Amino acid sequence: MTSTATKSSYPDRSRKTLCRNPFLSIKFFVFCHGLLQLSQLLVSGYLKSSISTIERRYGLSSQTSGLLASFNEVGNTLLIVFISYFGSRVHRPRFIGCGAILVSLAGFLMSLPHFITGPYEYDQSVASMFSNTTDLCQPEGPESQGNLSDTGCAPHTARENHEVLLVMFIAQALLGIGGVPIQPFGISYIDDFASEQNSPLYLGILFSVTVIGPGVAFMLGSAMLRFYVDIDKVTEDEVQLTNRDPRWVGAWWLGFLVAASLVAVSAVPYFFFPREMPKEVTSGKESGSKKSEDLLSQLRSRSEQVQNLSLTKFIKHFPMVLLRNLRHPVFLLVVLAQVNLSAMVAGLATFMGKFLERQFSLTASFANMIIGAVNIPGAMVGIVVGGAILKRFQVSLRQCSAMCVLGMLLCLLVAFPLLFLGCPTQKVAGVTYSESSEIGLHALECSHHCKCPEKAYNPICGSDAIEYISPCHAGCEVVNIDDNSVLNYTQCSCISRNGPGGFAKPGTCGTGCSHLLLPFVVLSCVAGILASTSHTPSFMLILRSIQPEDKSFAVGIQFMLLRILAWMPGPVLYGSAIDTTCILWEKKCDRNAACRYYDNNLFRHRYLGLQFFFEVGAFLCFVTVYMILRRQEMEARNVPETKTDPEKKKLAESTTKSPESKV
């Protein structure tokens, strides 16, 4: 699509009229698109910030929640090939607007389970101020009297859980489908109608928004999870939990409503943008050199040849381009390196909040604040630094690969200590001490006469610094209440430090190593910065090592492979690994639901071990790329210029010239 054709579409419009209409301004389009991308990332990123809360609310395993988090990639992957075909054949702004409406609908659907299910019920010491039902030790009462959750699995309960999962999976699929046209159509629209001088600036703004968006999503999660989940159904006086209680569930649904509303508002302007707008004209150099114009015309003619293909020919053409690029060693290895890094990021982004919660006894709100305020901005700094180094030193392709190797090597050195920087599993009577510890054996025997329900879960911290699953399991017979909140439990026969009349406070004892949180966050942030420095150089390796006419296809292939090999299986793989470290499951309808206690050491080693594994894989791929480019450069230099064939000459230019000089 040439600028001449674009100008002829508006023969009678003066520049003053165009300036007056914001929908004929590419700057206004960039502003709207940045706002839309930020809102879209709020919807997709918010799920990751509230994943542990949703697990606790609906009794999901980490494997199931990981599958849920990655399910939006399914619809996205299925349609990405057709987006490559329809790129400039449709009214792109309207398609973006329709996609945004689907994303907004997906956000509202994600919050729907809260409204179709009943209030959140948790095990509690006092059911209400008007009832004496407790989960205290009641030797003379029936076995199931003392716990509210010890009820049969009603058929409607199981059906309700299935409905919740079905709604969430449908919402995730719609989110993936709606997000397909937003970024590629927006980027191509800007590239077509922005001036050559301003186009990189506009695209840089959009790419920075894609990095900032997840950080804002985690900050939104931090704010929303401070509110109780049923804030719209119960009064504040009826809530007996604090946000530090392990049974606390925050208002996970509220953030989806906020993000979906923002997407709906952001979608409106796209229905007023034209299919084509006047090409932006900048002051100063309005026309490039004759050489650059010839290059642009060649690229346009190649692009138009692809665009004029029928859908059938396009589908036949796509596998040929796919195989041609996959046979390119540099392209294949760089994509595999990005697959490793993307799989690592997918797992870390989905479960890092849960890891911090369990490892350092943090609230979900505080864990999200750390990720949104430290880790994600750190990754953004790394991307900016990598791009700045490329621009400042005019590096070649071989030097690009060397940057990637150095960044990943330093990342590995910094990330390795994280495997050993963590907290031990808390001392839980009857769970972590039941095999050989005298305390564990005592805990099992001392509360046997209390007939505690197996499903009871109301953690308390005894005066002996041992955690108990519930007051009943600690043999506590008295609860002291002030203003409908539990102060402590007394006459606990299992808490032996102060004799048979030991006492306990509500809530978990925690892991007791909060002093390790700061060094862990600092090291993980530095590792993220170092790994992110390879982001821009790796993209340059892809864009500068393939044939110019295959660029759009290659980028589409790259993102398709990243989705299939990384973003889809990554969260499921991490979730499955996390589930293997669980030592006490919540039981719902005779099935494992959410995990109550993890082996913290095993959790840390497997979770961060997967991260280390993917980092090593990316490092090895980049090392191989460097060796290939170095060998090719040496071969190209050793061949006399008069005998160099066109392919080797092109190779010599690509490996010695800087990326900036070939733009």
Side-chain angles (χ1 to χ4, degrees), residues 68 84 137 145 219 223 259 293 320 326 350 354 506 528 530 567 577 608:
L68 177 65
S84 300
C137 178
Q145 176 182 347
M219 296 302 290
E293 287 179 359
M320 295 170 56
L326 289 182
T350 306
K354 180 174 185 174
L530 293 171
W567 293 104
L608 297 179

Side-chain angles (χ1 to χ4, degrees), residues 16-229:
K16 185 176 180 181
T17 305
L18 296 178
C19 293
R20 216 179 277 145
N21 187 351
F23 295 103
L24 294 177
S25 168
I26 195 65
K27 290 184 174 67
F28 185 62
F29 183 88
V30 171
F31 170 78
C32 293
H33 205 63
L35 184 62
L36 176 60
Q37 283 197 173
L38 180 63
S39 305
Q40 177 203 1
L41 289 167
L42 280 183
V43 177
S44 58
Y46 184 77
L47 174 64
K48 295 177 175 60
S49 73
S50 56
I51 199 77
S52 62
T53 300
I54 294 175
E55 283 182 16
R56 192 178 302 121
R57 174 62 181 90
Y58 295 107
L60 306 181
S61 65
S62 293
Q63 184 183 42
T64 303
S65 62
L67 180 62
L68 177 65
S70 64
F71 201 72
N72 67 315
E73 302 294 344
V74 174
N76 207 305
T77 304
L78 293 176
L79 295 178
I80 194 168
V81 175
F82 295 99
I83 289 301
S84 300
Y85 173 74
F86 289 110
S88 56
R89 291 172 165 83
V90 297
H91 195 302
R92 285 173 287 183
R94 288 182 185 171
F95 259 68
I96 293 173
C98 292
I101 290 175
L102 276 182
V103 171
S104 178
L105 177 61
F108 286 120
L109 274 180
M110 281 299 296
S111 65
L112 183 61
H114 170 74
F115 300 99
I116 63 175
T117 56
Y120 169 52
E121 294 182 0
Y122 56 89
D123 300 278
Q124 49 190 328
S125 296
V126 181
S128 69
M129 297 185 66
F130 309 102
S131 171
N132 61 358
T133 303
T134 69
D135 59 358
L136 298 176
C137 178
Q138 300 180 25
E140 298 179 358
E143 184 174 348
S144 63
Q145 176 182 347
N147 195 279
L148 299 175
S149 69
D150 192 28
T151 57
C153 181
H156 77 276
T157 305
R159 186 173 64 252
E160 187 178 82
N161 287 337
H162 291 147
E163 290 172 354
V164 164
L165 279 177
L166 180 62
V167 168
M168 286 186 169
F169 274 104
I170 291 175
Q172 284 293 95
L174 287 178
L175 178 62
I177 294 172
V180 168
I182 292 178
Q183 189 170 19
F185 279 2
I187 290 174
S188 64
Y189 193 81
I190 292 170
D191 194 49
D192 281 348
F193 303 117
S195 67
E196 293 174 20
Q197 290 86 354
N198 288 341
S199 180
L201 173 63
Y202 297 154
L203 296 181
I205 292 172
L206 293 184
F207 287 136
S208 66
V209 169
T210 61
V211 179
I212 296 171
V216 178
F218 275 94
M219 296 302 290
L220 178 65
S222 175
M224 296 298 103
L225 295 181
R226 295 176 186 270
F227 301 103
Y228 184 64
V229 62

Side-chain angles (χ1 to χ4, degrees), residues 276-290:
E276 298 178 0
M277 69 166 56
K279 181 81 173 180
E280 184 184 35
V281 178
T282 55
S283 58
K285 295 181 180 179
E286 296 192 3
S287 61
S289 64
K290 184 71 171 64

